[in-house]
């Protein structure tokens, strides 16, 4: 399939330029996602790059320092743009990149809207010590919903594949929470759940205060155990899926599970440094889990 056909752009040079822009943005992000997506055939790979680029668009809005009303308005415009995509009238470059994958892989509008719902949770106010149910809802929106889009592109839209999306998405997002405590605190956010903080005698919801509490490592280990349960459940569901189709999900699970293990090994006492697996290790995991 040509770039013009894939991206819904009549002019081939313009389509090629759009493809390069999106591909370079994904590569430059340094995301583990890039390694997993390279296992896919070109059309599916480019579809996933477009989904990732769209996720970055709405995530950047949620993380912006503009007033909440401005961010919510910008996310509202993306809701309108999603409608435009499904009406066959995409207006923005990323939207045009999504238009053909939406049709070809039967991507669900509800999953795109769920991601926007999650970004609105961040945009409306800084999330601080949410209840477990709220944290689970947030993870379902910003991560599992992306997984639901992804499994369609991977080539397995079975019930089992969607269970992988539900469990693995939550596992990945909780790993991010545990890895990025200080980065999130810098934005005034604290995703550690209220119930776990209370169970470890950590009161209040001020991020800086909570991160200095001596019981923080124990609280984080409790949340890490929940993440591990999600990794285990995703592996159980993945065993019922088409192995070849789900190779990217297997690689993502392996990379993030290794990341979680390293975060737990280092602990959460100050000074904390952000955990990131080396490129050779990511490549080894991609080969181990992506070529089976």
């Amino acid at each position: 399939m040509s770039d013009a056909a894939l991206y819904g752009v009549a002019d081939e040079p313009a389509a090629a330029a759009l493809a390069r822009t999106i591909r370079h943005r994904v590569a430059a992000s340094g995301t583990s996602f890039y390694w997993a997506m390279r296992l896919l055939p070109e059309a599916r790979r480019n579809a996933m790059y477009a989904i990732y680029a769209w996720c970055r668009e709405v995530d950047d809005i949620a993380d912006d320092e503009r007033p909440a009303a401005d961010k919510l308005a910008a996310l509202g415009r993306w809701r309108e743009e999603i409608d435009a995509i499904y009406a066959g009238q995409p207006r923005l470059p990323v939207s045009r990149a999504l238009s053909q994958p939406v049709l070809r892989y039967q991507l669900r509008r509800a999953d795109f809207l769920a991601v926007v719902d999650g970004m609105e949770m961040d945009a409306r106010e800084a999330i601080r010590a949410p209840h477990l149910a709220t944290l689970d809802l947030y993870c379902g929106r910003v991560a599992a919903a992306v997984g639901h889009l992804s499994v369609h592109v991977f080539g397995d839209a079975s019930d089992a594949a969607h269970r992988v999306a539900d469990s693995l998405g939550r596992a990945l997002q909780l790993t991010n929470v545990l890895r990025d405590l200080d980065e999130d605190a810098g934005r005034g956010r604290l995703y550690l759940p209220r119930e776990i903080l209370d169970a470890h005698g950590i009161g209040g919801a001020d991020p800086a205060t909570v991160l200095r509490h001596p019981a923080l490592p124990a609280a984080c280990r409790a949340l890490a155990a929940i993440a591990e349960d999600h990794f285990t459940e995703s592996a159980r569901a993945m065993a019922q899926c088409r192995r070849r189709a789900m190779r990217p999900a297997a690689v993502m699970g392996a990379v993030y599970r290794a990341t979680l293990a390293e975060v737990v090994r280092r602990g959460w006492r100050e000074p904390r440094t952000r955990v990131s697996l080396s490129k050779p290790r990511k490549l080894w995991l991609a080969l181990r889990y992506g070529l089976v």
Side-chain angles (χ1 to χ4, degrees), residues 15-292:
L18 176 59
R20 285 195 301 272
T21 297
I22 289 177
R23 185 168 58 251
H24 290 162
R25 183 171 189 184
V26 176
S29 70
T31 176
S32 300
F33 175 101
Y34 181 68
W35 294 86
M37 295 314 106
R38 293 190 66 175
L39 296 169
L40 291 167
E42 183 178 17
R44 295 183 187 274
R45 182 169 67 246
N46 287 336
M48 285 305 305
Y49 288 168
I51 290 172
Y52 178 84
W54 176 80
C55 289
R56 291 304 315 165
E57 291 279 344
V58 293
D59 188 57
D60 286 349
I61 293 171
D63 287 345
D64 199 285
E65 295 183 359
R66 289 179 290 172
D70 291 350
K71 294 191 287 187
L72 291 171
L75 290 169
R77 288 191 289 274
W78 265 113
R79 288 184 181 278
E80 296 172 359
E81 189 65 17
I82 291 166
D83 288 341
I85 293 170
Y86 280 86
Q89 299 176 328
R91 296 167 292 198
L92 301 175
V94 171
S95 306
R96 292 197 295 272
L98 283 170
S99 60
Q100 287 304 309
V102 161
L103 294 174
R104 186 174 189 182
Y105 303 115
Q106 298 183 321
L107 305 184
R108 305 183 306 194
R109 182 198 307 243
D111 294 323
F112 285 107
L113 294 175
V115 176
V116 177
D117 289 339
M119 297 306 166
E120 288 178 342
M121 293 174 72
D122 272 328
R124 191 168 291 112
E125 60 182 354
I127 295 175
R128 294 187 176 187
H131 287 288
L132 275 166
T134 301
L135 178 61
D136 185 71
L137 176 64
Y138 175 78
C139 292
R141 288 173 170 176
V142 302
V146 179
H148 290 306
L149 293 168
S150 300
V151 296
H152 280 253
V153 177
F154 294 165
D156 189 341
S158 66
D159 289 344
H162 282 290
R163 290 197 300 274
V164 172
D166 278 325
S167 296
L168 187 57
R170 286 168 168 81
L172 303 188
Q173 190 61 31
L174 291 178
T175 299
N176 286 338
V177 165
L178 291 164
R179 182 194 61 191
D180 298 338
L181 290 176
D182 293 287
E183 180 180 333
D184 290 333
R187 294 190 173 102
R189 298 170 180 166
L190 177 71
Y191 295 102
L192 299 178
R194 180 76 272 156
E195 292 89 337
I196 289 179
L197 293 176
D198 287 345
H200 291 85
I202 305 176
D206 175 68
T209 301
V210 169
L211 296 193
R212 289 195 300 267
H213 198 285
L216 175 69
C220 289
R221 285 194 294 271
L223 187 59
I226 295 175
E228 273 292 343
D229 287 343
H230 285 304
F231 277 120
T232 299
E233 180 55 36
S234 71
R236 186 177 298 119
M238 202 176 299
Q240 302 172 38
C241 298
R242 294 172 53 202
R243 175 180 288 187
R244 185 176 182 84
M246 296 299 282
R247 287 186 305 173
V251 170
M252 288 295 294
V255 169
Y256 267 79
R257 201 166 196 173
T259 300
L260 178 63
E262 182 62 18
V263 170
V264 172
R265 187 189 70 79
R266 291 192 192 182
W268 290 269
R269 296 194 184 281
E270 297 183 284
R272 287 179 292 271
T273 57
R274 191 178 189 274
V275 170
S276 179
L277 301 185
S278 67
K279 286 186 179 180
R281 189 172 184 193
K282 288 179 182 177
L283 178 59
W284 180 80
L285 289 169
L287 292 173
R288 179 180 177 185
Y289 291 91
L291 299 180
V292 295

